[in-house]
Amino acid sequence: MEELMFCYQCEQTIGGKGCTKAGNCGKDAEVAALQDLLVYELKGIGFIGNELLKQGKSIDKEISKFVADACFSTLTNVNFDPERFICFLKEAEKVKENLKSQLKNLPSNVPECVNYKLPNSKEQMLQDAKKAGIMYDQTLDANIRSLRETLIYGLKGMAAYAHHAHVLGYIDEEVNNFFYKGFAATLDNSLSVDDLFNLTMEFGKINLKCMELLDKANTQTYGNPVPTPVLITKKKGPFIVVSGHDLKDLYELLVQTDGKGINIYTHGEMLPAHGYPELKKFKHLIGNFGGAWQDQQKEFDNLPGCILMTTNCLQKPRDSYKDRIFTTSIVGWPQVQHIEEKNGKKDFTPIINKALELGGFTEDEPEKTILVGFGHNIVLSLADKILDAVKQGQIRHFFLIGGCDGARPGRNYYTEFAQKTPKDTIILTLACGKYRFNKMDFGTIGEFPRLLDLGQCNDSYSAIKIALGLADALKCTVNDLPLSLILSWYEQKAVCILLTLLSLGIKNIYLGPSLPAFISPDVLQVLIDKFNIKPISTPDEDLKVILG
């Protein structure tokens, strides 16, 4: 029987091999096919764009913004709406033809996707999508395929970061240009395994630049995060829960709800927003609701308020809340209300009115808080005190327990690991994996909380800057620090972060809960040989190896 689709870009792929009938994420075969075809178009755009760059020409930043947004739309748990993908495909065809018209001499032997003409009907698009599938070329060397897909998934992750920087007006030409170079490389049959591996390392360095750009965009717009207690219990009254990663959407909603008697709760990766001075000044940014993204269906079930999904982490909405969940930006689900941007502004009136109509929670819960806001600015300002505590033996080791959360069994490892870390160690955490343990009390070491929340996955730059800063202060390499990285991965942003860490030469990373299906055995062996990447085992065994 012919497979309807093939996708293995995320950690929950069926059987650890690939989803072939429908995605475990919730996307159907039709959406998967349209996503494949959009990536196919992006490869064609990449090839032409790369040729233009080689000729010394620059590419319009609006085109580069489209490339990043279209790429981001294919990331796991972002967009499930086939009609939105058809719009992306039609725009991609226009962009491709636009770039082609700027090219003086198109090489004679170009890949098929460069001259591909998008048909008008969805039915024909779905037929054409077969040639864009990951496994379409059965003769392709497994290691070449593995590294090409790794590069594509890295680009998808970086596209998310570039998108968030773009919306705040921050753009980097080198970052934009690598999308063309990267997609073009996945079409180049002259590139060897070594060439592609080296390119993934080059990508890692470019992604570091992109993460730095996003950090600059967020901190210069909303201020450097400061340690802030966040309410994690409910307050009486109408409310809107804001999920995803986009701080600008949250800010604009806060402005439009100010004085209207509506409480705003963050959810999932939006939790760290409470630490930003320009966001926390809104008194109706009241607290954080619920846990990580994979619990949303039960947490949002019959919720007496509204939900705004600003980026990835969307699951199939249940009927019990489909009338009160709204999407915006790149996010989409069929028949879910979408807030469009018009002339640079978004009108959140529909979600505001719905929240007031629903009425919200009927009573207050006893107050409980957790602490967020330990970005690199704060942590590095305390570097002298931290280093003194290390030298005096108060702090023996640092554990960065970070990354994506997910529904697959085995993720309780991260909870147990955190609980079993010795009392003279510090836990640094970021991204939604922290929801496994961030409401537990780990106590303090002197004036330091043992658990320091560095932010969302978009704040991964903070962790890298802290590690590099401590290594510089101690006059050693990151690999010589009393620091261990215990990472969980789920989707493509985790892939680009991992490639960045490897490009910096960081070794001995523990990775779980399973290894990526798109990494071939040979490529995995290279990662083990070069970087000593280790699959997680048990918390007790791994702690014993780390601490000796």
Side-chain angles (χ1 to χ4, degrees):
M1 179 180 167
E2 185 183 5
E3 292 176 347
L4 298 175
M5 62 178 277
F6 185 85
C7 181
Y8 60 1
Q9 70 177 6
C10 84
E11 183 264 338
Q12 67 179 7
T13 192
I14 291 174
K17 294 179 179 177
C19 295
T20 56
K21 293 185 174 62
N24 251 344
C25 62
K27 70 179 174 184
D28 59 25
E30 181 176 278
V31 167
L34 293 172
Q35 287 184 355
D36 285 347
L37 194 58
L38 182 54
V39 171
Y40 187 72
E41 285 278 45
L42 289 170
K43 288 178 180 179
I45 290 169
F47 182 91
I48 301 162
N50 195 49
E51 291 297 316
L52 282 168
L53 293 171
K54 285 194 285 188
Q55 291 180 10
K57 296 183 179 177
S58 59
I59 297 172
D60 185 88
K61 63 184 180 183
E62 286 304 310
I63 287 179
S64 294
K65 183 180 184 302
F66 168 78
V67 169
D69 287 357
C71 190
F72 183 17
S73 74
T74 68
L75 191 143
T76 304
N77 291 87
V78 174
N79 200 321
F80 301 82
D81 188 344
E83 298 310 312
R84 294 275 296 282
F85 281 108
I86 288 170
C87 291
F88 271 120
L89 281 161
K90 288 179 178 177
E91 185 63 26
E93 187 76 356
K94 289 180 189 173
V95 165
K96 189 171 71 175
E97 293 307 312
N98 178 347
L99 291 177
K100 208 185 285 186
S101 71
Q102 299 175 41
L103 197 60
K104 284 183 180 175
N105 299 306
L106 191 65
S108 54
N109 292 325
V110 298
E112 188 180 347
C113 57
V114 174
N115 290 320
Y116 170 72
K117 299 292 184 188
L118 185 76
N120 291 321
S121 73
K122 180 168 77 172
E123 290 69 28
Q124 189 56 52
M125 290 180 198
L126 294 173
Q127 280 299 314
D128 288 355
K130 292 176 183 176
K131 72 176 75 172
I134 294 166
M135 295 297 180
Y136 180 69
D137 181 359
Q138 294 288 320
T139 66
L140 187 63
D141 177 82
N143 298 320
I144 295 288
R145 178 184 284 113
S146 175
L147 287 163
R148 285 180 178 180
E149 293 303 312
T150 300
L151 183 56
I152 288 170
Y153 302 151
L155 290 169
K156 289 187 182 193
M158 187 168 78
Y161 299 140
H163 164 85
H164 291 297
H166 280 160
V167 299
L168 292 175
Y170 287 74
I171 296 164
D172 185 278
E173 194 171 39
E174 191 178 5
V175 170
N176 285 349
N177 289 349
F178 197 88
F179 284 102
Y180 305 105
K181 181 176 182 176
F183 277 120
T186 67
L187 300 167
D188 189 346
N189 292 325
S190 73
L191 295 179
S192 67
V193 167
D194 285 344
D195 293 332
L196 284 167
F197 183 84
N198 291 336
L199 195 62
T200 63
M201 294 299 101
E202 182 185 343
F203 163 80
K205 290 184 168 64
I206 297 293
N207 184 59
L208 178 64
K209 195 166 189 179
C210 187
M211 291 196 294
E212 182 180 15
L213 180 74
L214 177 56
D215 178 80
K216 183 179 178 182
N218 286 337
T219 56
Q220 291 196 353
T221 307
Y222 303 112
N224 281 299
V226 294
T228 304
V230 179
L231 188 74
I232 56 170
T233 44
K234 299 167 189 169
K235 299 289 280 186
K236 182 180 178 180
F239 65 91
I240 298 170
V241 172
V242 185
S243 192
H245 305 73
D246 199 283
L247 299 182
K248 186 180 180 184
D249 283 331
L250 174 62
Y251 179 83
E252 291 188 359
L253 181 67
L254 287 166
V255 169
Q256 292 181 40
T257 50
D258 201 11
K260 294 189 174 169
I262 296 175
N263 290 327
I264 304 297
Y265 295 87
T266 55
H267 172 266
E269 288 279 60
M270 200 62 87
L271 166 64
H274 292 271
Y276 287 89
E278 290 301 306
L279 296 173
K280 63 183 289 182
K281 70 182 183 184
F282 291 94
K283 301 303 179 191
H284 63 301
L285 180 60
I286 201 80
N288 188 71
F289 174 83
W293 68 272
Q294 76 276 2
D295 297 326
Q296 68 188 255
Q297 288 174 321
K298 61 184 180 186
E299 289 179 346
F300 295 164
D301 200 23
N302 290 303
L303 197 68
C306 291
I307 308 113
L308 177 65
M309 299 298 301
T310 66
T311 58
N312 50 310
C313 301
L314 174 66
Q315 286 189 303
K316 180 181 180 179
R318 291 181 178 174
D319 290 341
S320 65
Y321 63 88
K322 200 170 184 181
D323 67 331
R324 60 200 65 177
I325 187 168
F326 293 72
T327 59
T328 191
S329 185
I330 308 294
V331 194
W333 190 280
Q335 284 82 56
V336 162
Q337 299 170 83
H338 189 74
I339 307 287
E340 291 282 3
E341 182 177 272
K342 294 177 182 175
N343 301 318
K345 294 286 183 184
K346 293 183 182 181
D347 182 0
F348 289 108
T349 301
I351 192 170
I352 290 169
N353 290 342
K354 186 67 177 179
L356 291 169
E357 174 197 323
L358 289 166
F361 298 124
T362 55
E363 57 185 41
D364 292 345
E365 287 183 338
E367 291 192 359
K368 184 180 178 185
T369 62
I370 57 174
L371 199 59
V372 303
F374 289 93
H376 61 82
N377 189 62
I378 284 289
V379 175
L380 290 177
S381 74
L382 300 170
D384 289 344
K385 291 181 179 180
I386 292 170
L387 294 174
D388 282 343
V390 171
K391 289 169 185 173
Q392 291 168 19
Q394 291 175 284
I395 299 175
R396 178 171 32 146
H397 205 84
F398 297 88
F399 293 98
L400 174 62
I401 309 176
C404 316
D405 205 359
R408 186 188 286 269
R411 288 183 177 269
N412 57 317
Y413 166 93
Y414 297 93
T415 313
E416 291 175 23
F417 191 100
Q419 289 174 311
K420 289 181 175 182
T421 54
K423 297 286 189 274
D424 58 355
T425 61
I426 294 278
I427 301 168
L428 309 169
T429 190
L430 52 73
C432 62
K434 64 173 169 270
Y435 277 103
R436 295 269 163 180
F437 50 81
N438 70 336
K439 292 170 185 172
M440 299 175 181
D441 183 3
F442 289 93
T444 59
I445 298 177
E447 64 181 277
F448 305 111
R450 279 196 59 228
L451 179 68
L452 301 179
D453 185 346
L454 306 184
Q456 54 171 249
C457 83
N458 285 12
D459 300 312
S460 297
Y461 177 73
S462 261
I464 293 170
K465 193 165 175 66
I466 289 166
L468 293 173
L470 292 176
D472 186 55
L474 286 169
K475 295 181 172 52
C476 66
T477 70
V478 172
N479 294 321
D480 296 321
L481 287 172
L483 167 69
S484 298
L485 278 61
I486 318 296
L487 304 183
S488 54
W489 84 281
Y490 174 72
E491 40 85 321
Q492 296 81 66
K493 285 196 275 186
V495 175
C496 72
I497 292 166
L498 180 63
L499 292 175
T500 293
L501 293 171
L502 298 181
S503 75
L504 290 168
I506 294 173
K507 298 182 177 182
N508 305 315
I509 296 170
Y510 285 78
L511 186 64
S514 59
L515 295 175
F518 54 83
I519 297 290
S520 69
D522 289 344
V523 172
L524 177 61
Q525 193 57 51
V526 171
L527 296 177
I528 291 169
D529 293 343
K530 279 182 175 289
F531 303 106
N532 201 27
I533 279 190
K534 304 174 184 182
I536 58 171
S537 58
T538 68
D540 287 324
E541 287 175 21
D542 292 342
L543 277 166
K544 186 177 178 182
V545 171
I546 291 165
L547 296 173

